[in-house]
Amino acid sequence: MKHIFILIMTGVAVLCGSCKKMLEEKPYSILSTVNFYKTSADAELALTGVYDVLNTPSIQGLGNQALWGRGMHYMTNLGVDDLTQDVRFTIGVPELVPFYNHTYTGENLLIWYSYFSFYAGINRANFIIEKVPDINMNAVRKAQIIAEAQFFRGMFYMYLGWMWGGVPLVIGTTPDISSPRAPLEKILQQAEADLKAAYEVLPPRNSSPGRVNKYTAAGFLAKVYLYEASCKQNNVGQSLNFPLNSFDWVNQSEAYNQALKYAKDVYDNSGYKMIKPYANLFLSATEAAAREENMMIVQAGAGGNQEYILFSQLSGPRGDYRKNAGTNGFLRPVRESYSKFNANDGRISSYSGYLSTTTNFVTINNNNYYVADAVLSNLSNLCTNKWREDDPNARAARGVVVWGGEADFAILRFADVVLMYAEARFQTGDEAGARTLLREVRLRACNDDVNKVNTITTAYFKASFMDELMDERLRELAAEGWRRFDLIRTGRIASVINSLSTSVMFTGQEPVSIKQNFQPYKIWYPIPSRDLATNTNLIPNPEYR
């Protein structure tokens, strides 16, 4: 932690602009806190700095797209039955390689950068929560700014807890850099408290499009409580005998009821809906419509300071990002993900072959998207086909860098909340109601074709509702950052990895190593070695040395 706090606590607040449209303020790199936090404009700029953490290229020169600009896609999707890597290409970016086959250690740069970035975001939020109350400004807007900062502090602690377990708990602007790790219980309780504070104050929609609101907080509260309840129910981490990351403190029944409460509120009252067709969730050309479903987004595109998602290194059809907006092919689906789809399920369009054409395109809202190849029968060209960028020349004319993506990335969607609501209803005794919600998700997937819905419902049916639900969550949310967490919290990750096929689909895939390297302790990432070395009060996660 000493490394982190020396960087983010030396009397400065780091406020870098990075998120499209909603972040129109001029970005500042370093501002003294002595002369800052005096006006409403200062408060707004400080809040912009918190949003910036989501996809900033770096923070004080550190990070290299550590969070949703690139890094989180690797840390939350790989190593299970969702995505894998083509190591022929990622070998040139060594910090990205270990996540597909569980060979990460505390020396990994991406692990340190992401850990650091979460704390940088918490630090920025702490300054707002502490300093903005003294600013003379509109009282309603002041309360909302503080609540948005509380939302992010809660969200960042939620992810720290999910990924590392217990971590140092910092809720002020003058932390002790020798702080030990707080138990996971305290970290998740802080996340709950901050998200509840945001839920109580924020309006149903933010006046700045794309920013968080009351129902964003409700959705994440449902996630936190489902995580806690299912981890307790499935004895997650118990065999590690590591009390710091224990779930013994969780009241399973109460947590499921809280998840039900918040998911139901979103479902009944938020006004969000599942848009049609499904593919329009992932294109910049249709982002206005997608925001009727997307409850929290990472915005990217022209108009600010390097505010892009590094799409060329993320999941998408392999091609040439300079000519047809294909990706480098770093991230590829595994066969188990694709094989869960029935041909009548419209979401199967989330998969494709390579992107080889430079002439065949479809036009959507005046944007030209090149058409990907069909998937070969042996799956050797299998790619994810969700987030797509339009013609590189057109994007260049709009000021977009050639490797940069400007499509919104949704961290939280209404369809995800519907599936969480189904899970909470099942866990509180209403399986019939839960299955009704699954049908709603499938209706959208089939564009309201009832015959197709009936077909896939029959094909997907499992006597165990949780087995069926987990499959449905993978179909709906593939490559969106939830599969690894879902498998961990439901105690399924080891069995799913053990059942992965060792048949190689493409040169550069190494499925055997995934099964060989996974161990139960790897549900937690290692505390960065730099922090262990400089703060002797920190202890490592079990088995990491």
Side-chain angles (χ1 to χ4, degrees):
M1 292 301 295
K2 185 176 181 181
H3 268 281
I4 289 176
F5 290 125
I6 286 176
L7 285 164
I8 65 177
M9 295 300 300
T10 54
V12 300
V14 183
L15 304 170
C16 306
S18 173
C19 299
K20 185 175 75 171
K21 302 178 185 77
M22 69 179 182
L23 304 182
E24 296 179 353
E25 300 93 337
K26 180 180 179 181
Y28 293 84
S29 58
I30 297 178
L31 297 170
S32 169
T33 58
V34 175
N35 297 315
F36 200 60
Y37 299 104
K38 301 295 185 183
T39 67
S40 60
D42 291 344
E44 298 287 359
L45 183 58
L47 184 60
T48 294
V50 180
Y51 278 90
D52 169 72
V53 170
L54 296 175
N55 72 326
T56 185
S58 63
I59 298 172
Q60 292 174 256
L62 297 173
N64 195 14
Q65 301 278 7
L67 296 184
W68 283 272
R70 182 180 65 169
M72 286 293 283
H73 302 269
Y74 287 76
M75 296 183 72
T76 61
N77 289 310
L78 290 169
V80 291
D81 59 342
D82 192 353
L83 296 180
T84 188
Q85 287 190 39
D86 189 330
V87 295
R88 293 173 296 173
F89 305 117
T90 55
I91 197 69
V93 194
E95 69 268 24
L96 304 180
V97 174
F99 296 97
Y100 88 97
N101 67 354
H102 307 283
T103 55
Y104 37 78
T105 70
E107 296 294 327
N108 181 270
L109 275 179
L110 178 54
I111 285 177
W112 183 53
Y113 286 157
S114 59
Y115 187 82
F116 164 77
S117 296
F118 281 128
Y119 273 106
I122 288 167
N123 176 66
R124 296 179 185 191
N126 283 342
F127 268 92
I128 291 173
I129 294 164
E130 185 174 303
K131 302 293 187 181
V132 169
D134 294 332
I135 295 177
N136 182 18
M137 60 180 293
N138 178 276
V140 173
R141 182 57 190 148
K142 179 194 292 188
Q144 289 177 358
I145 288 173
I146 296 168
E148 285 181 68
Q150 287 175 303
F151 169 88
F152 277 104
R153 186 171 69 180
M155 176 189 164
F156 292 151
Y157 271 124
M158 179 188 75
Y159 272 98
L160 282 166
W162 288 352
M163 296 169 75
W164 286 274
V167 292
L169 181 61
V170 183
I171 56 173
T173 58
T174 55
D176 179 359
I177 63 174
S178 61
S179 295
R181 296 172 66 182
L184 178 59
E185 173 184 6
K186 299 299 183 185
I187 298 304
L188 293 182
Q189 286 175 347
Q190 183 64 51
E192 292 169 17
D194 282 333
L195 291 170
K196 285 178 181 176
Y199 172 78
E200 294 296 334
V201 172
L202 292 177
R205 291 293 185 278
N206 200 304
S207 58
S208 296
R211 288 193 169 187
V212 301
N213 58 55
K214 175 186 183 73
Y215 294 110
T216 317
F220 277 105
L221 280 165
K223 278 198 175 291
V224 171
Y225 283 116
L226 272 184
Y227 175 85
E228 293 172 0
S230 53
C231 283
K232 176 65 176 291
Q233 182 178 32
N234 296 289
N235 301 314
V236 171
Q238 196 170 74
S239 65
L240 302 176
N241 192 28
F242 191 63
L244 193 72
N245 291 352
S246 170
F247 292 93
D248 289 347
W249 55 276
V250 175
N251 182 325
Q252 177 184 318
S253 175
E254 176 60 19
Y256 274 131
N257 279 313
Q258 288 294 308
L260 179 70
K261 167 188 168 182
Y262 288 109
K264 184 178 188 300
D265 189 22
V266 174
Y267 183 84
D268 288 344
N269 302 312
S270 70
Y272 285 103
K273 65 180 183 180
M274 289 181 280
I275 70 160
K276 304 182 192 74
Y278 177 80
N280 283 3
L281 284 164
F282 310 106
L283 309 175
S284 60
T286 54
E287 68 181 19
R291 290 182 187 182
E292 297 183 65
E293 176 169 346
N294 292 340
M295 299 175 64
M296 182 180 179
I297 56 176
V298 178
Q299 298 188 66
N305 177 30
Q306 291 185 304
E307 47 194 52
Y308 305 103
I309 289 173
L310 214 170
F311 92 94
S312 57
Q313 295 186 9
L314 301 182
S315 55
R318 178 184 164 194
D320 187 333
Y321 64 85
R322 297 176 182 85
K323 296 179 180 179
N324 59 13
T327 73
N328 291 333
F330 282 13
L331 299 180
R332 304 275 296 276
V334 297
R335 70 173 67 245
E336 285 79 6
S337 174
Y338 181 68
S339 66
K340 282 185 167 57
F341 285 86
N342 181 279
N344 290 283
D345 189 331
R347 295 169 298 188
I348 202 169
S349 66
S350 296
Y351 298 85
S352 72
Y354 294 155
L355 190 55
S356 56
T357 185
T358 56
T359 57
N360 184 19
F361 58 84
V362 295
T363 302
I364 302 174
N365 293 344
N366 298 316
N367 289 6
N368 296 332
Y369 291 87
Y370 290 101
V371 177
D373 302 338
V375 177
L376 297 175
S377 59
N378 65 0
L379 307 186
S380 61
N381 69 342
L382 184 65
C383 295
T384 304
N385 190 40
K386 277 190 170 180
W387 302 274
R388 294 292 309 278
E389 300 297 331
D390 68 313
D391 177 67
N393 292 325
R395 287 189 297 117
R398 298 196 296 270
V400 181
V401 295
V402 68
W403 50 261
E406 60 177 350
D408 291 343
F409 178 81
I411 298 177
L412 181 67
R413 296 199 277 115
F414 180 68
D416 187 356
V417 177
V418 175
L419 292 172
M420 288 193 288
Y421 187 27
E423 183 174 350
R425 288 181 72 165
F426 171 76
Q427 295 290 359
T428 53
D430 183 11
E431 181 173 348
R435 289 192 176 277
T436 298
L437 292 167
L438 286 191
R439 186 172 179 85
E440 290 185 22
V441 173
R442 291 167 179 168
L443 272 168
R444 188 272 293 278
C446 296
N447 217 25
D448 292 336
D449 186 319
V450 174
N451 290 330
K452 288 184 177 181
V453 172
N454 291 339
T455 298
I456 68 171
T457 297
T458 300
Y460 294 161
F461 176 79
K462 291 188 175 180
S464 165
F465 177 78
M466 283 303 298
D467 288 348
E468 186 172 339
L469 177 68
M470 287 299 105
D471 284 353
E472 195 65 26
R473 286 187 61 81
L474 178 55
R475 294 184 195 104
E476 179 66 30
L477 303 168
E480 294 185 42
W482 296 115
R483 184 60 171 176
R484 188 176 191 273
F485 292 132
D486 281 345
L487 293 178
I488 289 172
R489 69 180 178 85
T490 57
R492 297 162 185 258
I493 187 167
S495 62
V496 165
I497 290 173
N498 286 335
S499 66
L500 289 175
S501 170
T502 57
S503 175
V504 174
M505 291 190 301
F506 53 87
T507 303
Q509 183 191 17
E510 298 179 355
V512 174
S513 65
I514 298 173
K515 303 174 75 164
Q516 289 176 334
N517 293 319
F518 179 76
Q519 297 293 330
Y521 71 88
K522 292 187 177 179
I523 62 172
W524 307 111
Y525 282 120
I527 300 296
S529 298
R530 289 165 175 79
D531 296 275
L532 293 172
T534 53
N535 180 358
T536 58
N537 290 322
L538 293 180
I539 60 173
N541 272 329
E543 304 300 324
Y544 287 108
R545 295 292 183 268

